[in-house]
Every structure is written in C-alpha cells, then in structure tokens.
C-alpha cells in the first residue's frame, strides 16, 4: 500500500509542488498509438457506422458481408445518439440510395436500419424527412416486387410516423394512406 501511495505522489504532483524529483531511470510516459487504443476500446461508433456503409457500397463486397454490415449498422443505430449522428455523418443519402439496390436483402437491411433509426427519435425523424425518406420508403412499398422488402418498407414508414406529427403530415401529403390501403387490399404480404 505504501508503494502505491509513493507512486501516486510521484505521478500526481507537479514540478511546482513538494514532490520528490523523478529519478533518471524512471520511464518516460509515451503516447499511445491510436491503433492500440482502437484495439482495446474499439473504434468510435461514428467510424463503425461509416465503415458499415462503405462495406455495403463497395462493389467487391460479397452479398453476405453486405448483409452483415447492414445488420451491424442496425445494431449501432439502436442507440438514439448514433441514430441522430446519421445526419452529421451524411449517411442518410447513402442509406436511402440502398432502397434501390438490386439485392432484396440489401433493400431490406437499409429499410430496417432506417426504421430503427427513426423510432421515437425526433432528430433522426427530422433528418429522414429532410432527405425525403418517407417518399422513398412509400415508393418501395408501392412498387417493389418482393413481399419481404415491402414489409420492411411498411415498418420504416410506421416507425417514422408513430408519435411524429410532422412525419404523419408528410406521409399524408405523399399519398401514404392510399398507398398503404392499396397494399393491404391487394394482400401483398406487407
């Protein structure tokens, strides 16, 4: 215990205080390599989110890896602060662009991420609306030929309009009610 106290006094005192002088053989503190810190603590969420979309958009990424990256991104945006950071990181346009991907599983993943991000999150809802997200999701709901994709589009839209007056207004202004009614009447699986 005494050695711990000596260490604390030596390392906590400044030169102007009455602390014993450091010995010449005392190790000099070195700056840690950021890669080492990342290995120990993990990369910041903002970096992880950007890397997820980079992986999804890269043409050489296999489909399974793209799906995993979207799943990882969805888990990250479950945190309300991370979901709010989609806008400052300029990730909304990239995410909405994935609604038109050739792979249905990528479209599903992008809609799932969007729906999770906007759930009960006014900042994310505002950004989603700013980027015409509800129009894009309604277009998928109305026009996509894959039932599971349309189901995720409905999840995304419902997450956006739930407890969101501006979102509901945007939904109605974009003919959302007739689109949903038509989908339900046609029994398309959504």
């Amino acid at each position: 215990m005494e050695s711990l106290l000596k260490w604390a006094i030596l390392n906590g005192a400044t030169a102007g205080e009455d602390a014993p002088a450091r010995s010449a053989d005392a190790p000099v503190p070195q700056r840690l390599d950021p890669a080492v810190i990342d290995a120990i603590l993990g990369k910041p969420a903002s970096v992880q989110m950007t890397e997820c979309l980079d992986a999804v958009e890269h043409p050489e990424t296999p489909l399974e890896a793209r799906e995993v990256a979207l799943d990882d991104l969805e888990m990250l945006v479950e945190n309300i602060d991370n979901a709010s950071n989609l806008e400052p990181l300029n990730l909304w346009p990239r995410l909405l662009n994935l609604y038109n991907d050739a792979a249905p599983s990528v479209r599903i993943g992008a809609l799932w991420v969007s729906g999770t991000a906007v759930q009960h999150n006014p900042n994310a809802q505002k950004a989603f609306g700013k980027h015409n997200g509800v129009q894009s999701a309604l277009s998928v709901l109305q026009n996509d030929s894959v039932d599971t994709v349309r189901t995720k589009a409905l999840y995304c839209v419902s997450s956006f309009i739930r407890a969101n007056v501006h979102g509901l207004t945007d939904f109605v202004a974009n003919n959302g009610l007739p689109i949903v009614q038509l989908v339900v009447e046609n029994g398309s699986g959504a």
Side-chain angles (χ1 to χ4, degrees), residues 60-110:
E60 301 297 318
T61 306
L63 180 59
E64 186 176 334
R66 296 174 77 203
E67 293 167 352
V68 169
L70 283 166
D71 191 44
D72 291 345
L73 181 58
E74 193 273 334
M75 284 189 286
L76 286 165
V77 300
E78 285 177 355
N79 177 304
I80 195 166
D81 293 327
N82 291 342
S84 295
N85 281 338
L86 287 169
E87 178 65 8
L89 294 172
N90 201 27
L91 298 182
W92 275 117
R94 296 171 61 188
L95 187 60
L96 295 174
N97 190 45
L98 293 175
Y99 292 5
N100 301 313
D101 196 89
S105 61
V106 172
R107 295 193 305 271
I108 288 169

Side-chain angles (χ1 to χ4, degrees), residues 19-32:
R22 288 185 184 235
S23 65
D25 61 341
V28 177
Q30 297 177 352
R31 293 191 46 83
L32 292 176

Side-chain angles (χ1 to χ4, degrees), residues 1 5 39 69 80 88 97 105 115 118 120-121 138 157:
M1 194 59 127
L5 181 60
I80 195 166
N97 190 45
S105 61
V118 298
H120 310 292
N121 185 337
L138 285 170
V157 169

Side-chain angles (χ1 to χ4, degrees), residues 45-179:
S46 59
V47 172
Q48 292 178 40
M49 291 166 55
T50 303
E51 287 178 349
C52 285
L53 274 181
D54 289 345
V56 174
E57 292 172 332
H58 194 279
E60 301 297 318
T61 306
L63 180 59
E64 186 176 334
R66 296 174 77 203
E67 293 167 352
V68 169
L70 283 166
D71 191 44
D72 291 345
L73 181 58
E74 193 273 334
M75 284 189 286
L76 286 165
V77 300
E78 285 177 355
N79 177 304
I80 195 166
D81 293 327
N82 291 342
S84 295
N85 281 338
L86 287 169
E87 178 65 8
L89 294 172
N90 201 27
L91 298 182
W92 275 117
R94 296 171 61 188
L95 187 60
L96 295 174
N97 190 45
L98 293 175
Y99 292 5
N100 301 313
D101 196 89
S105 61
V106 172
R107 295 193 305 271
I108 288 169
L111 288 158
W112 191 9
V113 169
S114 300
T116 300
V118 298
Q119 276 184 346
H120 310 292
N121 185 337
N123 293 333
Q125 291 168 345
K126 184 177 178 182
F128 185 74
K130 174 183 155 189
H131 293 285
N132 301 318
V134 74
Q135 293 92 329
S136 299
L138 285 170
S139 177
V140 172
L141 181 62
Q142 185 175 25
N143 300 314
D144 203 287
S145 62
V146 180
D147 285 347
T148 52
V149 174
R150 286 195 306 273
T151 300
K152 280 300 178 202
L154 185 59
Y155 162 74
C156 180
V157 169
S158 67
S159 294
F160 176 64
I161 65 174
R162 189 177 307 121
N164 178 5
V165 174
H166 296 295
L168 182 59
T169 303
D170 197 15
F171 170 76
V172 171
N174 284 283
N175 295 317
L177 289 173
I179 292 171

